[in-house]
Amino acid sequence: RAVRNAKEIPGVREVVANDFSKAAVESIERNIVHNKVEDKVTASHGDASLIMYQNREPVSARFDVVDLDPYGTAAPFLDAAVQSVQDGGLLAVTCTDLAVLCGNHSEACHAKYGSTSLRGKHCHEMALRIVLSCIETHANRYKRHIVPLLCVHMDFYVRLFVRVYTSANEVKKSASKQSMVYQCTGCGNFHLQPLGKIVEKGNSVKYLPGNGPPVGEHCEECGFKHQLGGAIWNKSMKDDSFVEAVKTQLFENE
């Protein structure tokens, strides 16, 4: 992927391709030479989080794009990633632990992502929203927030593209962008409970806790009880203008 980025994306100045495996780095080095991109791609052998932490400051040292594609979950790398990407920069995240994200191991999901996953027909979308919530909460700790561009589930993994911005004021809205999920254990009907709400009166803006619960003790459809999942991202998972721009470029390159 590092080689493709260097050869196919106009304007790329430098790509750092890192892996913790020495054998993988040796393969990267051979691939760099084979594709004649020594002037753009640098192979790096080390802890990815450490490399990202080392590029937090000064601001000019931050990456324009951070692409996380580990084996399994990307959660351990998110804290470093949201700090090492430029303001308005792109963060791409891949997670392959769908069994965890789709409710088969909800306790492991809570440990990794700070969110309880649920089984259901919506599980793949919920997986995406769990990862978005996790990225957002990591970013919030540093007065940063995310704007999703495109999030997809494919085969055995999820892939998310978000921009990361710095704004203490926007961070205040974060609670209203996340919800708990009340899901019926019988029919699967579900309701969202936002963690926060924004109340505007004239020039006054208040950020308050959400009101709830949105359901009674028993499901109004079938009478079964509910189980609780989340928190998940409750806003849009895509930017329409970005998606259209990508589609246009793809059609032009056919």
Side-chain angles (χ1 to χ4, degrees):
R1 183 177 297 167
V3 170
R4 287 194 63 187
N5 289 339
K7 293 177 73 72
E8 299 178 11
I9 301 177
V12 170
R13 299 187 304 273
E14 180 184 7
V15 179
V16 178
N18 181 80
D19 203 289
F20 196 67
S21 164
K22 183 178 179 181
V25 174
E26 291 173 349
S27 178
I28 292 170
E29 291 173 337
R30 291 193 298 271
N31 208 19
I32 290 172
V33 174
H34 177 75
N35 286 277
K36 299 181 174 62
V37 289
E38 297 96 327
D39 58 328
K40 290 185 178 181
V41 183
T42 302
S44 170
H45 180 211
D47 184 309
S49 291
L50 179 59
I51 291 171
M52 288 186 285
Y53 282 132
Q54 290 173 335
N55 283 274
R56 289 178 297 177
E57 301 293 340
V59 173
S60 59
R62 294 177 182 175
F63 301 106
D64 296 306
V65 179
V66 172
D67 188 352
L68 302 178
D69 191 5
Y71 177 81
T73 178
F77 306 101
L78 293 179
D79 184 77
V82 297
Q83 295 182 72
S84 63
V85 66
Q86 289 280 3
D87 191 24
L90 179 66
L91 173 58
V93 178
T94 300
C95 295
T96 63
D97 55 337
L98 275 186
V100 170
L101 287 166
C102 288
N104 289 337
H105 306 285
S106 60
E107 78 290 349
C109 187
H110 187 270
K112 293 179 180 181
Y113 298 95
S115 179
T116 301
S117 56
L118 298 174
R119 294 183 182 182
K121 295 179 180 180
H122 54 58
C123 67
H124 295 126
E125 178 176 343
M126 188 171 184
L128 289 165
R129 294 187 179 278
I130 286 173
V131 179
L132 284 173
S133 174
C134 188
I135 301 172
E136 171 77 356
T137 54
H138 276 90
N140 289 167
R141 296 170 189 141
Y142 308 102
K143 299 180 180 180
R144 312 193 90 181
H145 68 102
I146 65 169
V147 175
L149 299 178
L150 179 63
C151 303
V152 297
H153 157 256
M154 292 187 293
D155 300 326
F156 58 90
Y157 65 92
V158 290
R159 180 76 164 153
L160 307 93
F161 299 88
V162 305
R163 289 203 183 278
V164 181
Y165 294 97
T166 304
S167 172
N169 191 55
E170 285 295 322
V171 170
K172 295 178 182 179
K173 303 176 183 178
S174 179
S176 65
K177 299 176 183 178
Q178 304 194 50
S179 291
M180 302 304 291
V181 183
Y182 286 81
Q183 179 172 298
C184 176
T185 57
C187 65
N189 190 32
F190 66 91
H191 295 79
L192 299 184
Q193 169 61 65
L195 297 182
K197 64 180 181 179
I198 302 173
V199 178
E200 298 185 43
K201 291 184 179 179
N203 295 326
S204 172
V205 180
K206 293 184 178 180
Y207 305 93
L208 304 175
N211 296 327
V215 296
E217 183 178 356
H218 298 278
C219 175
E220 59 185 14
E221 301 294 338
C222 69
F224 278 70
K225 288 189 174 183
H226 297 89
Q227 55 185 358
L228 189 61
I232 67 170
W233 178 265
N234 64 26
K235 298 299 182 181
S236 176
M237 297 193 296
K238 61 182 175 64
D239 181 283
D240 290 335
S241 60
F242 174 81
V243 173
E244 288 301 318
V246 171
K247 287 169 60 179
T248 298
Q249 186 167 2
L250 286 174
F251 291 143
E252 290 177 351
N253 291 339
E254 285 184 348

